[in-house]
Amino acid sequence: MGSLGDSISNGARRVVDFRSDTVTKPTAAMRAAMANAEVDDDILGVDPTMNELQKQVATVMGKEAGLFVPSGTMGNLIAVLVHCEVRGSEVIIGEESHIMHYEQGGISTLGGVHPRTVPNNADGTFDLKKVEAAIRYELDDHFPITRLICLENTQARCGGRCLSAEYTDKFGELAKSYGLKLHIDGARIFNASIALGVTPERLVRAADSVSVCLSKGLATPVGTVLVGSKEFITKARRLRKALGGGMRQVGILAAAGLVAMRDMVDRLNVDHANAKLMAEGLNAVKGLRVDMSIVETNIVYAEVTDDSVLTPKEIVEAWKEYGVLAMTWGRNMIRVLTHYQITEDDVLFALSFFKTTSLQAANHKSSTLSRKRTAAELAPVYY
Ligand SMILES: *Cc1c(COP(=O)(O)O)cnc(C)c1O
């Protein structure tokens, strides 16, 4: 464990948690800063610590202003609703995007915005041509009106893939040429920045707004900062209040964010190296397969291949007994994320499980291990 963190092992039994980078607990420095934060009423706009955080994140992203919101989900919702403020609007988003899968369709159910999905390629991108084809190029009583394109960087469901600055620029140009806005769900934009060696400002230069998560790899307990123009943020601020996201002495949370910006960004390459090590280790296990070419940041998807006698659920359960927490992912995958509470030694410990546990039938006499997967386990999974 590095000097940044509080140990998560309680001394009794080693437990390492690879379920998500959302499990990260605030560092000792964050807790100290939170305890000592100067605060005031942020709904009145006078919390000095919050104002400093919003300014810092906006500056790093190269935008005029920032707004702290309680979650990435609220950040994306507000951004979409501000850009699509006229009823009957449509947003073009990736089929594999977080907004599409994990935000309860809030843009539709709460905002009346129609999502038009385009398929993501395996590398997280989508084809400019497909996006252009999806834009409603004329006003027609049959059509909603396209107002916005959303990208996600890193693209989580595609394996934490990074979108390059040049790629993003092309979408900025496309959006501009049709009078549309561009929003980036940048929950892990710092991971992309570190992995590509490109500043976040450059990566999001073409975007009108970006939501930046502080509570994933950056380890704060709460919060996302939405950035954009002054005009955009003024509207976003009104919507945040309507959605119940206005908070009072919230400098306590901003103080953790300021520590995150100072301490937690440059070290993300450690998480990426640990993810690679984990990916290589899992890929070497018979019965698992990892596409090494897609491991760019801190997310690893391991496919449980047909020749494994265990299902993803059984592997995750057995791993848990060993002291390793991971997630099943869909029907045939296991998902592992690295973050600041995971050391190289933790990765080696997690992999050591497979030295004693074979996923191959030939090595097992036990009939419970060599059973076939049930129909229920093979049924489609809805997220
Ligand atoms: C986690 C995440 C969000 C939303 O975050 P919450 O704070 O959990 O609402 C949005 N987009 C992406 C890509 C994410 O990974």
Side-chain angles (χ1 to χ4, degrees):
M1 184 60 57
S3 59
L4 285 171
D6 309 324
S7 175
I8 57 162
S9 85
N10 56 15
R13 181 170 157 267
R14 183 174 188 169
V15 176
V16 281
D17 194 343
F18 292 91
R19 286 172 303 173
S20 177
D21 45 9
T22 58
V23 303
T24 45
K25 294 173 183 167
T27 64
M30 284 179 197
R31 289 179 190 267
M34 292 170 82
N36 296 310
E38 209 185 314
V39 296
D40 209 328
D41 190 331
D42 182 54
I43 291 183
L44 302 182
V46 291
D47 186 303
T49 312
M50 181 50 76
N51 288 341
E52 176 58 25
L53 175 70
Q54 290 173 163
K55 198 170 87 196
Q56 262 197 33
V57 178
T59 304
V60 168
M61 295 292 147
K63 305 297 177 205
E64 283 176 2
L67 183 73
F68 184 88
V69 290
S71 68
T73 300
M74 191 186 284
N76 285 333
L77 177 64
I78 290 175
V80 172
L81 296 204
V82 168
H83 293 307
C84 300
E85 59 191 345
V86 179
R87 197 165 175 81
S89 294
E90 184 172 67
V91 52
I92 298 176
I93 56 178
E95 254 172 23
E96 299 301 333
S97 64
H98 193 280
I99 295 178
M100 195 59 204
H101 278 267
Y102 303 122
E103 301 182 11
Q104 267 191 35
I107 59 169
S108 307
T109 55
L110 302 174
V113 178
H114 185 250
R116 180 89 185 265
T117 55
V118 290
N120 286 92
N121 301 318
D123 66 356
T125 62
F126 28 63
D127 295 341
L128 196 79
K129 282 216 170 69
K130 284 186 186 150
V131 172
E132 184 160 15
I135 296 172
R136 316 284 185 166
Y137 56 89
E138 57 185 2
L139 285 180
D140 181 310
D141 282 351
H142 296 89
F143 299 160
I145 300 172
T146 315
R147 308 238 179 229
L148 176 66
I149 300 171
C150 289
L151 301 178
E152 183 178 311
N153 199 4
T154 66
Q155 226 298 335
R157 280 179 58 87
C158 294
R161 306 300 298 271
C162 305
L163 304 181
S164 72
E166 295 72 24
Y167 171 84
T168 306
D169 287 352
K170 282 193 199 136
F171 281 85
E173 283 159 30
L174 179 73
K176 239 193 212 107
S177 70
Y178 283 90
L180 312 178
K181 302 291 187 198
L182 180 67
H183 171 70
I184 296 178
D185 177 352
R188 296 191 181 84
I189 192 71
F190 286 114
N191 292 86
S193 164
I194 293 292
L196 294 170
V198 176
T199 63
E201 179 278 324
R202 178 66 193 91
L203 285 181
V204 304
R205 200 177 286 168
D208 296 285
S209 59
V210 188
S211 52
V212 181
C213 186
L214 302 173
S215 72
K216 289 195 169 152
L218 301 195
T220 74
V222 180
T224 278
V225 178
L226 185 60
V227 299
S229 69
K230 281 190 183 138
E231 192 195 344
F232 168 84
I233 291 297
T234 301
K235 291 178 178 178
R237 200 178 169 85
R238 274 188 65 79
L239 249 177
R240 181 185 69 174
K241 187 74 178 78
L243 292 170
M247 295 176 284
R248 301 294 177 178
Q249 284 70 32
V250 77
I252 293 217
L253 299 178
L258 287 168
V259 174
M261 295 296 287
R262 187 192 70 200
D263 292 350
M264 304 304 282
V265 174
D266 289 340
R267 58 152 309 286
L268 289 172
N269 59 346
V270 175
D271 300 345
H272 300 171
N274 284 335
K276 276 225 168 64
L277 185 67
M278 178 63 112
E280 279 161 7
L282 292 177
N283 196 35
V285 174
K286 283 199 172 65
L288 297 179
R289 180 163 52 221
V290 180
D291 181 351
M292 290 303 300
S293 70
I294 74 168
V295 183
E296 294 179 345
T297 56
N298 67 329
I299 303 178
V300 179
Y301 292 106
E303 186 193 345
V304 179
T305 58
D306 285 345
D307 48 336
S308 169
V309 286
L310 298 185
T311 64
K313 197 159 170 262
E314 287 166 335
I315 295 170
V316 164
E317 275 164 12
W319 224 3
K320 186 177 175 186
E321 286 299 304
Y322 195 74
V324 179
L325 306 182
M327 273 189 190
T328 58
W329 201 253
R331 240 191 291 181
N332 60 349
M333 310 264 252
I334 293 170
R335 191 187 81 157
V336 170
L337 260 82
T338 55
H339 49 77
Y340 93 96
Q341 286 164 196
I342 299 288
T343 62
E344 187 179 320
D345 191 58
D346 291 330
V347 173
L348 297 175
F349 167 67
L351 290 170
S352 69
F353 165 76
F354 295 99
K355 293 207 176 96
T356 54
T357 307
S358 171
L359 307 181
Q360 299 291 294
N363 298 326
H364 290 286
K365 301 277 184 287
S366 157
S367 60
T368 56
L369 287 183
S370 50
R371 70 181 182 75
K372 283 268 188 294
R373 288 174 218 183
T374 64
E377 282 164 345
L378 291 171
V381 171
Y382 300 100
Y383 298 101

